[in-house]
Amino acid sequence: MSFIKLPYIFLLVVISNAAFAQQQRDTSFTFSKYYNLVKGSEASAQRQIELQSDIDTTWFRWKERGYSFGFIPSKTPMYTTVNGVLSTPYMVQVRGNAEERNKKRWGYHVFEGYAKDDKSRITMLVNKHIEMERPVAELYYYSTVYNHDETAYNWFKIGSDVKQHSFMFGRDKALFYGSLKLTNALTLGSIGKEDISATKPDGDDEQNAEKDAKYVNYKELKNGGDGTIFYDKDRDIVVIKIKGKWMKVAVEALPEGVEYGF
């Protein structure tokens, strides 16, 4: 390197350091609208990083349903891409906001992970439904179609990645390869005529959830194999399927002196 260039390099370093120091003192400093250094508080000189993309209704990805589904392109910024592995010693968090509709899909989705077909996805959402008088968080594996039919949902497996082991959950069915140990009571399904429909209702299953649930009851009881058991609330009997035939389970009164306080 030429000795003549050294003074210029030294001067450049000094100027850069001075500029950076000035930026550190300037509490309103931002690199741009895409990458901001936001003050922690009015009394603090500490910074918080903020990333943001533009809103562009002509973005080519908005033409793909997997990107636009549930968003309003005129209000939702384009996706911000990080071409690398995200790693943190802290945690990843999605918080509620004043305009949930345009910052989550429909205001519900907090996580989506796509399979190699770029359509099937694992989804976690919160507060889409109120069931049993409480808000619900939901987790499912959605297939390549876009409806609420049972076949639109793949198995979601919990426990391990070993085939024919652990516990799998679908839209209306759970398959346990392992044993089940309860620390409380087991309650059989209490099903009567009002809870069964032999005809699947027309239209979307989400819009016809109550009626479709009755059809699911009918289908599962009809197709249930030997060992299927439920409580017939219309007749106050417990029935079980053995060799393809429904049979009454014999019960008897408690022995004398046996009582429960509940």
Side-chain angles (χ1 to χ4, degrees):
M1 179 182 294
S2 171
F3 287 103
I4 299 177
K5 294 182 179 179
L6 286 176
Y8 293 100
I9 296 175
F10 177 78
L11 181 60
L12 179 61
V13 171
V14 171
I15 293 173
S16 298
N17 287 338
F20 181 76
Q22 174 61 31
Q23 293 165 0
Q24 291 294 90
R25 289 191 297 270
D26 185 359
T27 57
S28 63
F29 171 76
T30 59
F31 287 102
S32 71
K33 64 178 180 179
Y34 309 111
Y35 176 61
N36 293 337
L37 290 178
V38 183
K39 291 191 299 182
S41 67
E42 289 298 323
S44 173
Q46 306 307 312
R47 301 291 192 274
Q48 173 191 12
I49 294 175
E50 182 181 83
L51 300 176
Q52 181 171 304
S53 297
D54 281 329
I55 293 175
D56 185 354
T57 59
T58 67
W59 185 42
F60 73 101
R61 288 294 189 186
W62 288 137
K63 298 177 182 179
E64 301 177 36
R65 186 166 182 169
Y67 285 83
S68 61
F69 206 44
F71 285 126
I72 301 177
S74 62
K75 295 184 178 181
T76 306
M78 294 176 287
Y79 288 37
T80 299
T81 301
V82 177
N83 288 318
V85 178
L86 287 176
S87 176
T88 174
Y90 298 96
M91 69 181 194
V92 177
Q93 186 179 91
V94 177
R95 298 193 63 86
N97 56 81
E99 197 174 5
E100 298 264 323
R101 175 70 169 79
N102 305 305
K103 295 179 181 178
K104 300 175 186 171
R105 290 193 194 276
W106 300 281
Y108 310 131
H109 292 207
V110 298
F111 173 80
E112 292 179 345
Y114 283 77
K116 63 181 180 181
D117 60 20
D118 203 32
K119 294 181 179 179
S120 304
R121 70 174 187 267
I122 294 171
T123 301
M124 183 175 186
L125 56 157
V126 292
N127 289 14
K128 179 180 179 182
H129 299 114
I130 301 293
E131 297 188 35
M132 305 295 290
E133 301 179 353
R134 297 184 183 181
V136 181
E138 298 161 78
L139 189 63
Y140 59 85
Y141 182 15
Y142 204 59
S143 68
T144 57
V145 297
Y146 287 93
N147 59 50
H148 294 103
D149 186 80
E150 182 183 9
T151 58
Y153 295 85
N154 295 328
W155 290 109
F156 197 101
K157 192 173 186 179
I158 297 176
S160 79
D161 62 348
V162 181
K163 189 176 181 180
Q164 292 188 317
H165 290 70
S166 299
F167 308 88
M168 301 204 303
F169 297 85
R171 195 197 74 164
D172 298 311
K173 190 188 295 287
L175 178 59
F176 286 19
Y177 286 116
S179 62
L180 173 63
K181 181 179 180 180
L182 301 177
T183 60
N184 207 306
L186 169 66
T187 303
L188 296 177
S190 181
I191 302 174
K193 291 182 179 179
E194 66 178 7
D195 305 305
I196 294 176
S197 174
T199 304
K200 181 175 176 59
D202 295 330
D204 182 77
D205 291 354
E206 169 77 357
Q207 302 300 320
N208 300 300
E210 186 174 344
K211 292 181 179 179
D212 191 69
K214 294 181 180 181
Y215 172 72
V216 170
N217 285 346
Y218 168 81
K219 183 179 63 173
E220 293 302 316
L221 291 175
K222 181 178 178 61
N223 298 331
D226 291 344
T228 302
I229 187 171
F230 73 99
Y231 172 68
D232 181 346
K233 68 180 185 182
D234 293 337
R235 300 173 178 83
D236 289 324
I237 58 175
V238 175
V239 294
I240 186 171
K241 187 178 290 188
I242 298 177
K243 293 184 178 181
K245 183 179 179 179
W246 288 109
M247 303 184 72
K248 175 185 175 181
V249 176
V251 298
E252 59 183 35
L254 291 173
E256 184 177 352
V258 177
E259 297 181 1
Y260 300 108
F262 44 78

